[in-house]
Amino acid sequence: MERQHPTSASFHGSMRSRDSSSTIGSDPREKIKDCFRKFIAFMFTQVGVGALVVCYAILGAAGFMHIEKDSPDEQLEEVRRLRQNCAESLWNITVNVNVFNETAWVLKVNEVLRVFQNNITSAIHTGYNGLSAEDTWSFPAALMYSLSVFTMIGYGNVVPKTVWGKVSTIAYACFGIPIYVLYFCNMGKVLAKTFKWLYITAHECSRRDDTLFEDGEMQPVKRKITVPSTACLWVISFYILTGTIMFGAWEKWNYLDSTYFCVISLCKIGFGDFVPGANIADSAGGSHLKLVINFIYVLLGMGLVAMCYNLMCEDVRVKVRELREDLKNCLDDITLKITVCMNDTKYYHQKQSRNLK
Amino acid sequence: MSSEVSLEGHERPGFIRRAASGCARAAFSQIGLVILVVIYVLLGAVLFEYLESGPEVQKRSAIQRSREECLKELWAITERLNVLYERNWTRLVHEQLRKFESSIVAAARQSPDAQPPELAMDSKWTFSGALIYCITLITTIGYGNVSPRTAAGRAATVAYAAAGVPLTLACLAGLGASLARLARLAWLRATKRKVPNTWRKDGEPENYLQLHEQQRLLPQPAEHNQYTSFPPRTHRSPGTVKARAGDRGQYSQVFERAPASPRSATLGRVKRSALADEPHTSSALQTQTLDRKKTMGSTKCLATVHGPGRGRGRNTVQRPRGAVIEQLIAEECGELQMNRSQDDLDDSEDPEESICPHDTPSRVPLIWNEESHKMKSCTVPSSSASTSVQHHIHHGIEHCHIPVGIVLFLLLAYICVGAAIFSAWENWSFLDAAYFCFIALATIGFGDFVPTSFLTSKQSTENSKSEYVQMIACCAYLVFGLILIAMSFSLLQDEVVTRCSQLANSLGLSRQ
């Protein structure tokens, strides 16, 4: 909805602000400000917000990597110490016990190993996962991490361990979530409009034959068409199917697990037991492309959810209203019937009593 | 019609009671949805407990197997080396231990709660564990410390989440909206104490209080002369009870009073009585509508909203009523209609709160869109000036801007309180507890910190009462925190949108 500016005032063809009727000279500062303004405005349009989100994620990834990579690995040290102790006690056992007495040796070693296992398990419970911070916070992992923070999915397979990491996570979330919400809203609107237009076009195309059939002239019937919820569900199902196949092939998950991952991510639950990129880091070849595709996939999924949400709302609202109307009519009918019935009986009783008198 | 004397004395004793009843009413307005969600969660807990308590034993034996393998290898090493050199032997043993350790880690990743067999007789999938799992699932927090491992469990999770997440979010949004309305009411009441108690007779509103009071009095059609002087807010006939803001059924109540009309007849909903005093309210409405115009025009996130395409018709209906008001209303609503897609023809005469307030940005909406009410109500085809009056008056309440600082402070206080409690119960540091609270309330839910001190692997019969209390308190804290966040979204949304549009205007970005 552009306003029409008087063309006489246009000196710079494309670099016009809204109130360009006042700008006559080619002030460079004005140009720059105008450019800046346009840029900011663009950033908040649909395309711009997408780019904003991507930039924010990348920035966040770099930041978190930097913060968390240098964190002292206390847990790794501890586990190393545990292993050292275990090996020492094993050595002591081996030295002390007569080596040819296998059963005694086995018993004792089993005990030591069990203790070792318990210690490792409790270390795992406090977050140890066998990798150092350097390995854990690779760029793909950090990117997935920042994505999971501001989309509120929250996988949790990598978590910040340092104090600064946690504080910066909170700050990152505080700013990232509104940006994401903006993206969600914009993307949803755009996709919903596109989809609705597609659907209506398809619908009209298929209907045009009918109208020709009914009456001689084509009357443009302006009827409100809601995109049915089933269409939205089909889109989502198709998206999940794509994801299933993709992740099944890349991550070697079975199809149920891939579907499970897709749905859990789409619903923004994000358990973190399956995360793409956990294995991708292992296979360095072609990992960047896969990572980019993962990233886009998750973002697109959110947009699709927003779109379906927009579209289904109308449908649900219409249906709920219809339901309520029906219920109301039904109730009115029933009330009417009851009152009529009661009036009849009252009248009947009155007549009876009058007859008796 | 009561006198103008402020009955503050009458109000104070009843304040707490009324606050409580207001809260209860807010909750009960969503009672159907709340009950549904509760039942859903309980059913889900039963289901997941059934599905998932089986296969724990297998994983543990996997660890046992790898331990036995390690043992065998160690024995083989010891046997092989004829002379035991400590360094050689230790090196080889280290290798074996590292392999064993990584197998433990891998097994733990598969079943994150793998306990050594000696300690755990119970899996984490007791009923309370499954209950917490369900709650974290449908509120989309999703910790991940407990996650389904059987194929059936995963499939059930998918289905359960697909249905439960929208349901819960709708419920939370509704509760947040009711609470928001309550908060606005409380704020109005709080700020009015500072306002001098002079009721002007010419119809100019002090704050929006008088409009609020008008609106409270509207559903009594017979007392139209109340508009001549603004009766105080203490009018306590039973009719006002229904009209209180915070009551969800308010809109429908207002409309239900009108004579029944067929769906397409838009003229039937005229309430003649309330219009007895238009000239007095015109100036008030003027300010109202102009305010709303500014806010409305700057609303960015208009998804496709249905509005009836009968704006023209509405104008003609209203003209005989009162020129100024209707013109303003028509202008405003007409402008609104331009913002919407032109091919939305709808018989929407029932502006009940929809289940999905989709006009607001949200991941899935925790934001209850009052805007949709304004827009829809504005273009309700039947709306004569009376109903528009009611809408505008009601919107006075929604225009009560609770300052952003207070809402944020409330949230911050809630997080700090939770942090204090959790750091005491779970022996976390305060920062860790605050981090946990924030992450859980933002529904990110990493799962590195989970309040599981009550989910020990003891036998469920040994769970003391305090642990159950802890678990219930934790769940209640999370759920109420989510409702608070929904409420603050709903309260802040207008403010934020207005401020952003003002900012955009000042920067010259917007199109106005």
Side-chain angles (χ1 to χ4, degrees):
Chain A
M1 285 190 279
E2 296 274 344
R3 292 221 192 108
Q4 298 300 325
H5 295 290
T7 46
S8 59
S10 79
F11 200 72
H12 325 277
S14 56
M15 310 269 272
R16 256 190 323 191
S17 64
R18 300 272 165 254
D19 39 28
S20 66
S21 48
S22 53
T23 60
I24 299 180
S26 58
D27 189 6
R29 239 180 309 152
E30 267 305 315
K31 236 195 326 194
I32 293 178
K33 251 200 272 178
D34 203 17
C35 212
F36 185 64
R37 240 179 260 146
K38 279 213 172 230
F39 177 68
I40 299 271
F42 173 72
M43 282 310 268
F44 283 93
T45 60
Q46 286 80 16
V47 179
V49 170
L52 190 64
V53 161
V54 170
C55 289
Y56 193 68
I58 293 180
L59 271 178
F64 282 120
M65 248 175 67
H66 177 75
I67 293 177
E68 287 284 329
K69 259 192 170 26
D70 308 330
S71 73
D73 259 326
E74 302 146 356
Q75 272 195 332
L76 216 59
E77 286 303 317
E78 202 182 304
V79 168
R80 203 170 295 155
R81 244 181 304 122
L82 280 175
R83 221 182 301 141
Q84 188 72 24
N85 290 345
C86 185
E88 274 178 17
S89 42
L90 285 178
W91 172 251
N92 288 339
I93 292 174
T94 320
V95 160
N96 293 336
V97 172
N98 190 354
V99 152
F100 295 106
N101 188 0
E102 182 176 347
T103 39
W105 188 89
V106 159
L107 268 174
K108 293 219 172 117
V109 166
N110 202 16
E111 238 351 277
V112 171
L113 281 183
R114 207 181 285 239
V115 167
F116 178 65
Q117 174 190 316
N118 291 348
N119 290 337
I120 296 283
T121 320
S122 46
I124 289 176
H125 274 207
T126 55
Y128 175 70
N129 62 351
L131 298 172
S132 70
E134 287 256 346
D135 302 331
T136 322
W137 288 92
S138 61
F139 187 74
L143 197 59
M144 275 318 253
Y145 174 75
S146 29
L147 184 71
S148 75
V149 166
F150 70 72
T151 53
M152 297 182 281
I153 298 179
Y155 285 120
N157 57 334
V158 293
V159 280
K161 298 260 170 47
T162 61
V163 168
W164 275 114
K166 291 175 183 161
V167 168
S168 48
T169 300
I170 292 181
Y172 189 75
C174 280
F175 288 110
I177 291 180
I179 291 181
Y180 168 71
V181 163
L182 191 65
Y183 162 81
F184 190 83
C185 163
N186 267 334
M187 204 55 152
K189 232 181 353 165
V190 164
L191 287 179
K193 257 191 249 173
T194 319
F195 190 65
K196 197 157 197 231
W197 175 81
L198 278 172
Y199 183 81
I200 289 181
T201 320
H203 194 85
E204 274 176 5
C205 276
S206 64
R207 264 183 48 87
R208 199 159 288 149
D209 314 330
D210 296 348
T211 52
L212 257 179
F213 207 56
E214 287 168 10
D215 37 353
E217 24 180 280
M218 287 227 282
Q219 292 179 3
V221 174
K222 264 218 161 224
R223 233 183 32 195
K224 186 180 78 63
I225 299 177
T226 36
V227 181
S229 308
T230 46
C232 311
L233 289 177
W234 277 117
V235 171
I236 293 268
S237 313
F238 182 68
Y239 171 80
I240 293 181
L241 191 67
T242 317
T244 305
I245 298 177
M246 200 167 69
F247 291 120
W250 283 349
E251 302 277 338
K252 309 283 186 296
W253 298 334
N254 64 37
Y255 286 139
L256 176 65
D257 290 343
S258 302
T259 314
Y260 168 78
F261 164 74
C262 289
V263 172
I264 293 290
S265 295
L266 272 188
C267 293
K268 300 190 184 56
I269 299 173
F271 282 131
D273 43 359
F274 292 97
V275 179
N279 284 342
I280 281 183
D282 299 339
S283 62
S287 64
H288 286 299
L289 181 65
K290 280 190 193 170
L291 172 75
V292 164
I293 294 185
N294 271 341
F295 190 72
I296 294 181
Y297 180 79
V298 171
L299 278 185
L300 190 65
M302 302 305 156
L304 278 183
V305 168
M307 171 193 96
C308 288
Y309 189 64
N310 275 338
L311 292 176
M312 282 175 70
C313 255
E314 306 169 11
D315 203 14
V316 168
R317 204 180 286 155
V318 164
K319 288 215 168 63
V320 164
R321 205 175 304 125
E322 284 177 7
L323 194 66
R324 255 187 220 207
E325 277 289 331
D326 290 342
L327 263 170
K328 225 190 297 182
N329 290 339
C330 198
L331 272 175
D332 286 341
D333 285 341
I334 292 179
T335 340
L336 193 63
K337 283 211 176 75
I338 290 180
T339 28
V340 164
C341 197
M342 278 177 29
N343 280 342
D344 278 347
T345 48
K346 202 163 52 167
Y347 179 65
Y348 178 70
H349 280 304
Q350 280 177 357
K351 233 173 104 173
Q352 285 289 66
S353 57
R354 226 175 291 133
N355 286 348
L356 284 175
K357 285 177 190 160
Chain B
M1 187 170 69
S2 347
S3 69
E4 280 197 4
V5 174
S6 157
L7 298 179
E8 288 219 19
H10 280 234
E11 285 188 4
R12 266 194 214 110
F15 176 68
I16 296 193
R17 202 180 337 128
R18 279 192 302 116
S21 76
C23 279
R25 196 169 296 121
F28 280 124
S29 68
Q30 306 280 328
I31 190 70
L33 219 48
V34 169
I35 288 183
L36 198 59
V37 169
V38 168
I39 292 179
Y40 195 69
V41 165
L42 290 174
L43 282 180
V46 168
L47 175 71
F48 282 113
E49 185 194 358
Y50 169 69
L51 284 177
E52 288 285 334
S53 29
E56 269 304 313
V57 191
Q58 291 176 1
K59 298 300 177 188
R60 248 173 259 128
S61 68
I63 292 187
Q64 208 162 349
R65 257 181 287 128
S66 62
R67 192 174 71 232
E68 284 161 10
E69 242 181 64
C70 182
L71 195 60
K72 247 185 282 175
E73 287 297 317
L74 287 176
W75 175 246
I77 292 172
T78 321
E79 261 190 333
R80 222 177 336 147
L81 299 181
N82 286 329
V83 183
L84 286 177
Y85 283 122
E86 180 170 2
R87 199 169 297 167
N88 261 351
W89 189 87
T90 312
R91 189 170 36 89
L92 293 169
V93 161
H94 265 276
E95 260 179 52
Q96 283 307 312
L97 285 181
R98 210 169 290 146
K99 233 195 293 183
F100 179 45
E101 173 198 316
S102 44
S103 73
I104 297 180
V105 168
R109 197 180 298 151
Q110 284 297 310
S111 61
D113 53 348
Q115 300 278 333
E118 303 79 40
L119 283 185
M121 287 305 132
D122 251 351
S123 64
K124 273 210 173 133
W125 290 95
T126 59
F127 182 74
S128 35
L131 190 68
I132 294 192
Y133 171 73
C134 286
I135 290 182
T136 58
L137 186 64
I138 57 176
T139 51
T140 77
I141 298 179
Y143 284 128
N145 62 331
V146 180
S147 65
R149 277 170 311 289
T150 59
R154 291 197 176 127
T157 302
V158 166
Y160 189 78
V165 166
L167 182 70
T168 312
L169 288 171
C171 178
L172 284 177
L175 283 174
S178 316
L179 209 61
R181 215 171 286 171
L182 210 66
R184 284 203 172 100
L185 195 63
W187 182 253
L188 277 176
R189 227 160 263 298
T191 47
K192 75 128 162 86
R193 295 227 164 89
K194 306 182 190 126
V195 172
N197 210 5
T198 55
W199 293 100
R200 312 224 191 114
K201 292 224 161 96
D202 56 359
E204 270 186 30
E206 290 273 4
N207 285 327
Y208 300 106
L209 292 172
Q210 297 176 350
L211 299 176
H212 166 60
E213 302 315 318
Q214 282 182 27
Q215 187 262 327
R216 280 181 59 182
L217 298 165
L218 276 172
Q220 300 149 46
E223 305 162 41
H224 57 273
N225 53 352
Q226 285 175 347
Y227 288 104
T228 50
S229 66
F230 290 88
R233 57 207 82 104
T234 58
H235 187 99
R236 282 189 194 285
S237 79
T240 56
V241 171
K242 284 193 224 155
R244 282 248 305 258
D247 192 359
R248 185 163 184 264
Q250 186 174 15
Y251 276 127
S252 40
Q253 203 263 330
V254 159
F255 280 99
E256 281 157 13
R257 295 280 185 136
S261 61
R263 205 163 155 193
S264 54
T266 62
L267 306 183
R269 299 271 171 107
V270 171
K271 283 187 69 175
R272 300 166 194 281
S273 58
L275 295 177
D277 208 31
E278 270 172 347
H280 293 271
T281 62
S282 63
S283 56
L285 286 175
Q286 204 162 3
T287 51
Q288 268 293 321
T289 52
L290 286 181
D291 268 353
R292 271 203 326 113
K293 199 183 222 173
K294 252 196 293 184
T295 320
M296 297 303 244
S298 60
T299 307
K300 281 185 196 165
C301 308
L302 287 179
T304 52
V305 175
H306 285 300
R310 300 189 204 140
R312 312 294 180 285
R314 248 194 60 237
N315 286 349
T316 54
V317 167
Q318 294 175 353
R319 205 130 285 149
R321 291 268 155 207
V324 178
I325 306 177
E326 279 89 10
Q327 260 184 1
L328 284 171
I329 296 170
E331 255 179 57
E332 186 181 15
C333 299
E335 178 194 48
L336 278 178
Q337 285 207 350
M338 281 195 307
N339 289 349
R340 249 165 279 139
S341 51
Q342 287 302 318
D343 51 351
D344 288 342
L345 304 176
D346 196 5
D347 294 339
S348 64
E349 49 190 9
D350 192 1
E352 83 273 7
E353 290 157 358
S354 71
I355 298 179
C356 36
H358 69 285
D359 293 339
T360 53
S362 171
R363 45 189 191 101
V364 194
L366 281 188
I367 306 175
W368 191 261
N369 189 17
E370 309 285 1
E371 302 275 339
S372 70
H373 301 312
K374 290 176 199 163
M375 290 191 277
K376 280 199 330 188
S377 58
C378 196
T379 60
V380 165
S382 68
S383 55
S384 55
S386 66
T387 50
S388 313
V389 160
Q390 292 151 9
H391 295 305
H392 287 297
I393 286 170
H394 181 72
H395 297 152
I397 296 175
E398 282 149 26
H399 271 274
C400 150
H401 285 303
I402 298 186
V404 178
I406 291 193
V407 177
L408 289 181
F409 176 73
L410 184 67
L411 285 180
L412 199 63
Y414 192 75
I415 290 184
C416 287
V417 163
I421 295 180
F422 282 117
S423 65
W425 277 353
E426 304 275 335
N427 288 329
W428 296 331
S429 72
F430 186 78
L431 174 68
D432 284 347
Y435 167 78
F436 160 74
C437 287
F438 177 81
I439 295 289
L441 287 182
T443 76
I444 299 177
F446 283 132
D448 47 353
F449 290 98
V450 184
T452 49
S453 65
F454 47 81
L455 277 183
T456 56
S457 38
K458 296 199 207 74
Q459 293 279 350
S460 51
T461 51
E462 291 174 15
N463 274 346
S464 61
K465 268 228 164 80
S466 72
E467 287 177 356
Y468 272 121
V469 166
Q470 274 191 6
M471 173 187 89
I472 292 177
C474 175
C475 291
Y477 174 81
L478 285 179
V479 170
F480 192 67
L482 289 176
I483 297 178
L484 263 187
I485 288 191
M487 175 192 92
S488 47
F489 268 141
S490 156
L491 287 175
L492 290 183
Q493 174 199 346
D494 285 348
E495 275 276 335
V496 167
V497 168
T498 323
R499 291 258 174 93
C500 282
S501 60
Q502 280 173 6
L503 189 68
N505 274 334
S506 65
L507 284 182
L509 294 176
S510 96
R511 298 162 196 272
Q512 307 254 329

